Structure formats: structure tokens, C-alpha cells
Amino acid sequence: MCLHRCEDLSREEFPDYRLNKHGPYSMENASKMRAIRYVQDPTISTPMNEALHSSRGMVTEFDCVAEV
């Protein structure tokens, strides 16, 4: 799943939320989702992201990818 953070969280606040709230919540509900494995892949911000975004009119990059 490609994820965007909630609007009330800054990009700097999101890793803490992802690790300490969303991750534990997902693990607690893994059986309900029939999940065998849960992996969080954070995105990496680089100057290239903004260059691609502005030159190609791309949508805002995702904040995280979750593998379930």
C-alpha cells in the first residue's frame, strides 16, 4: 500500500506516528486482515524528488509504503 500521512501530521512527525502508533495497531489487527507479514518502507527525501515533482507535474510523493 502506498500511503500519505494525515494532513494534521508534518513530514517530520510522521515517522514517529508510523513506528509507534500505526505499526502496533497493524500488528494487533494482523489476524483480522489475514496478514502474515507487515513491513514499513519509509520514503527518502532527496533534492531529486522536488526536481521531478516540479518538472513533470507529478503528485506529491508518498510518505510510506506498507507491505502486508
Side-chain angles (χ1 to χ4, degrees):
M1 293 177 269
C2 297
L3 307 171
H4 285 288
R5 67 189 184 281
C6 295
E7 292 181 10
D8 61 335
L9 289 173
S10 70
R11 194 158 177 88
E12 294 75 27
E13 294 170 320
F14 185 65
D16 179 65
Y17 172 82
R18 181 178 45 82
L19 292 171
N20 298 309
K21 298 238 172 43
H22 190 269
Y25 174 82
S26 296
M27 294 308 296
E28 289 169 14
N29 293 284
S31 63
K32 294 175 188 171
M33 297 184 290
R34 297 183 185 162
I36 298 169
R37 185 175 141 180
Y38 176 74
V39 178
Q40 295 180 342
D41 301 311
T43 56
I44 299 170
S45 294
T46 69
M48 182 62 76
N49 290 5
E50 182 53 38
L52 288 170
H53 175 71
S54 59
S55 70
R56 297 181 181 178
M58 297 173 73
V59 297
T60 306
E61 67 271 7
F62 294 105
D63 296 300
C64 181
V65 175
E67 301 173 48
V68 181

